[in-house]
Amino acid sequence: MTPVVFAAGVAFLLARPSLEALPRGGVALLAAGYLSLDVMALPVRLPEPRGEKARPGTLPVLPVLAAGIAAVGLAALLAGPAPALPGGAAPAALALDLVAAVAEEALFRRVLFGWLARWSVPLAVVGSAAAFALVHVPLYGSAALPVDFGAGLLFSWQRAATGRWTVPAATHAAANLLAVIIR
């Protein structure tokens, strides 16, 4: 079940540029896709880790979340403002970005990380970060690959440090929120 859910999620994420090219940016289809991704990813039963090296850590959630949000906040300030959204699109973009963050983290940090962690946490960290970065290339181009890989490593570290996929989901949502606010 895990490979099927992951493949379906990646297929949707790779289709995003085509959906965004539709009239009104395909907002309804994107929203439906992200919600479907959550519905598919959340009930996936993950395999038990094999051995001690495959067990995520148990650092306290709040410091790990604060470190992640501080990192994305600093990155947003250093990057400067993003291009402006078309008139009146900010509320819709904000809502869609928040739903997208949770859906992507459910796919990459819950499903893929959880599946890879049965072999080892370092494999899960690097593998889920690399997949996260690669799936963003069609949307943002190869120039964004290092930034997306860095973000993926941050989110994967949070997953490994806390054992929870919801911590990177909250950080990812904060990053997307900052991207909309700083425009």
Side-chain angles (χ1 to χ4, degrees):
M1 172 90 167
T2 301
V4 172
V5 169
F6 183 71
V10 167
F12 163 71
L13 294 174
L14 292 175
R16 286 185 298 186
S18 299
L19 296 173
E20 288 183 356
L22 295 173
R24 294 193 218 161
V27 173
L29 288 174
L30 286 167
Y34 288 126
L35 292 172
S36 296
L37 186 51
D38 278 332
V39 168
M40 287 187 324
L42 294 179
V44 170
R45 294 183 79 184
L46 298 172
E48 286 295 317
R50 298 177 183 167
E52 202 56 38
K53 290 183 181 179
R55 298 199 185 282
T58 55
L59 290 179
V61 168
L62 290 180
V64 172
L65 178 61
I69 291 174
V72 298
L74 180 61
L77 289 174
L78 293 174
L85 294 169
L94 175 63
L96 196 57
D97 280 354
L98 294 177
V99 171
V102 173
E104 288 181 5
E105 293 310 311
L107 182 67
F108 292 105
R109 253 50 75 186
R110 185 179 183 287
V111 174
L112 182 59
F113 185 104
W115 185 72
L116 292 173
R118 68 184 176 169
W119 290 289
S120 80
V121 172
L123 172 66
V125 167
V126 174
S128 63
F132 176 82
L134 289 171
V135 85
H136 284 85
V137 169
L139 194 59
Y140 301 118
S142 59
L145 193 60
V147 172
D148 289 328
F149 185 63
L153 287 173
L154 171 67
F155 302 148
S156 294
W157 167 76
Q158 288 182 305
R159 169 67 163 88
T162 64
R164 299 174 184 217
W165 73 273
T166 53
V167 175
T171 302
H172 192 160
N176 287 2
L177 176 64
L178 284 171
V180 172
I181 290 174
I182 295 179
R183 288 188 192 270

